[in-house]
Amino acid sequence: MKRGILVLVSFTLVILLNSAFAADKIVPQIRQGDKALLFTINGLGSFGVNGANAGLLVEENSGDVESSALYGLGFKTFISNRIALRVGLCYMGASVTTETDDGDEVESQSMLGLQPAIEYHLFQSEAVSIYTGGMILFSSYSAKSEVPDVDEVTFSSSSLGFGALLGAEFYPWKNVSFAAEYQLGFASGSGKYDDGTDEVEGPKASMKGINTVGVTIAFHFK
């Protein structure tokens, strides 16, 4: 019995040592042709998975500036060694149709967000890669009301922005990484209301500053 326990303990230690040795060999996947799907997680306190960052809507509301982050599909590909193209894309379309004696009443909404970025990986320390880069973003939202025998009513807003990036990406496993990022940027947006008779341009809103994005989880493949 004692010999069996000793063999089991020895076997377990060998596995742990091999795992530790393999972890030391993990190298960031930042060579041409490397790719990854991107997601964001809320954090350790309230763990949950969202789509990747895919834009920002900036709007004026009663004299205040409001911003809404958009999430969607995230993808990254290295177009050369150390240089990656990163894209976030959001799309949403929805409508409600109500049948009436005069015809169908339709309420519809749509949203689009696009956030391309370039990452340049500066240097690596074992399983950590430090990178910088830049990004631009475009976001739009529209709502439309169609009622029989009444002019169509629409509201639309759009935002445009850009920013500089500084981040760190950590590889706990070969094909999985976690990244946290600083963003220094500027974004502005405006809206428009049109009821078929009057077209009103809404006030413009803008914001600038340093923002943090974390945590992004990436699943890497060739």
Side-chain angles (χ1 to χ4, degrees):
M1 178 65 72
K2 291 183 179 180
R3 181 175 296 178
I5 294 175
L6 180 61
V7 171
L8 179 60
V9 171
S10 300
F11 181 70
T12 303
L13 288 174
V14 169
I15 291 177
L16 292 175
L17 289 173
N18 285 338
S19 298
F21 180 76
D24 290 338
K25 297 299 183 181
I26 292 176
V27 177
Q29 298 190 32
I30 57 173
R31 299 187 63 81
Q32 184 175 2
D34 291 337
K35 303 174 182 65
L37 286 176
L38 309 177
F39 302 86
T40 58
I41 58 178
N42 296 334
L44 299 178
S46 55
F47 186 85
V49 178
N50 293 319
N53 290 281
L56 185 73
L57 275 173
V58 180
E59 300 174 296
E60 182 273 343
N61 184 13
S62 301
D64 294 327
V65 178
E66 292 187 349
S67 63
S68 302
L70 306 184
Y71 300 95
L73 173 67
F75 180 74
K76 177 165 68 173
T77 180
F78 279 82
I79 54 179
S80 66
N81 292 346
R82 296 175 176 263
I83 300 177
L85 171 64
R86 190 177 79 192
V87 178
L89 174 65
C90 169
Y91 173 75
M92 182 277 292
S95 66
V96 176
T97 302
T98 304
E99 296 182 357
T100 69
D101 292 337
D102 296 325
D104 291 345
E105 297 180 0
V106 181
E107 303 285 339
S108 59
Q109 301 178 69
S110 64
M111 184 180 297
L112 176 67
L114 180 63
Q115 185 172 300
I118 290 290
E119 293 180 2
Y120 176 67
H121 288 251
L122 298 168
F123 57 88
Q124 293 73 50
S125 177
E126 296 181 352
V128 177
S129 180
I130 305 298
Y131 65 89
T132 185
M135 70 171 188
I136 59 175
L137 62 87
F138 171 77
S139 306
S140 67
Y141 169 82
S142 66
K144 182 167 60 175
S145 177
E146 300 174 80
V147 178
D149 302 323
V150 177
D151 289 336
E152 183 179 283
V153 177
T154 61
F155 170 77
S156 61
S157 64
S158 61
S159 301
L160 184 66
F162 58 89
L165 315 176
L166 178 63
E169 190 168 16
F170 167 62
Y171 288 74
W173 303 286
K174 180 179 179 181
N175 294 315
V176 179
S177 67
F178 296 92
E181 184 176 284
Y182 294 110
Q183 297 179 352
L184 171 62
F186 170 85
S188 64
S190 62
K192 181 172 68 174
Y193 173 83
D194 186 356
D195 62 7
T197 302
D198 297 314
E199 184 175 305
V200 180
E201 296 282 347
K204 294 183 178 180
S206 63
M207 57 190 305
K208 58 184 176 181
I210 297 175
N211 184 39
T212 56
V213 177
V215 174
T216 298
I217 180 171
F219 296 94
H220 298 262
F221 60 95
K222 295 289 187 180

